[in-house]
Amino acid sequence: MKTIIVCYEERPVATRVLERAAMFAKALGAKVIVTSVAPGVHGRSLGPYDPADPPERHEAEVEDAAARLAELGVTGVETVTGAGDPAHAIVHLADERRADLIVLGAHDGGLFSRLFEGSLGDTVVHKAHTDVLVVH
């Protein structure tokens, strides 16, 4: 295993996502790329971002995640941000970088949000061309 993509968003599961990614990266000597994508305003379509969830917030999140990974003993972490459809961007990044593993947090919404908004994790799991670790 050479490359791990960590999908990061500051929420309750975030610490566990970083801990699992660090565990695999250190054990396998893998490179870590942390990503966070600002969703487009038209649901999952590409387009302008939601002003309540701007790209700058995602840039700060990945920098924070890289610093936390360094505290866990993972150095040389690359950060990648974007705007648009988060699931598509994650799968594209994993394909582009030939990632061996995608690590992301489980959906923490209720049934209503999962049915009507969908789950990023579900979409990534179904569209990814590599292994996906969903952390609870």
Side-chain angles (χ1 to χ4, degrees):
M1 187 167 296
K2 296 180 183 176
T3 304
I4 298 171
I5 303 286
V6 178
C7 307
Y8 189 79
E9 184 175 10
E10 189 58 49
R11 49 196 189 105
V13 73
T15 298
R16 290 187 305 280
V17 168
L18 294 178
E19 289 169 350
R20 296 304 182 274
M23 178 185 72
F24 280 104
K26 291 188 302 187
L28 302 169
K31 173 183 176 158
V32 175
I33 301 169
V34 178
T35 188
S36 184
V37 180
V41 293
H42 303 296
R44 296 190 178 139
S45 66
L46 296 175
Y49 62 86
D50 179 352
D53 191 12
E56 295 80 18
R57 181 181 77 84
H58 294 267
E59 291 168 9
E61 282 184 348
V62 297
E63 292 301 325
D64 179 55
R68 291 165 79 185
L69 283 165
E71 292 171 2
L72 293 169
V74 179
T75 58
V77 174
E78 180 181 349
T79 61
V80 176
T81 58
D85 174 0
H88 174 78
I90 291 163
V91 170
H92 178 75
L93 178 63
D95 287 346
E96 179 182 80
R97 301 298 179 90
R98 296 187 175 127
D100 302 292
L101 179 66
I102 300 170
V103 180
L104 50 78
H107 189 274
D108 57 359
L111 179 61
F112 181 82
S113 70
R114 192 165 188 165
L115 288 174
F116 293 100
E117 297 173 15
S119 164
L120 172 68
D122 290 342
T123 304
V124 171
V125 164
H126 287 96
K127 295 189 180 245
H129 304 109
T130 191
D131 294 332
V132 179
L133 172 63
V134 180
V135 178
H136 289 273

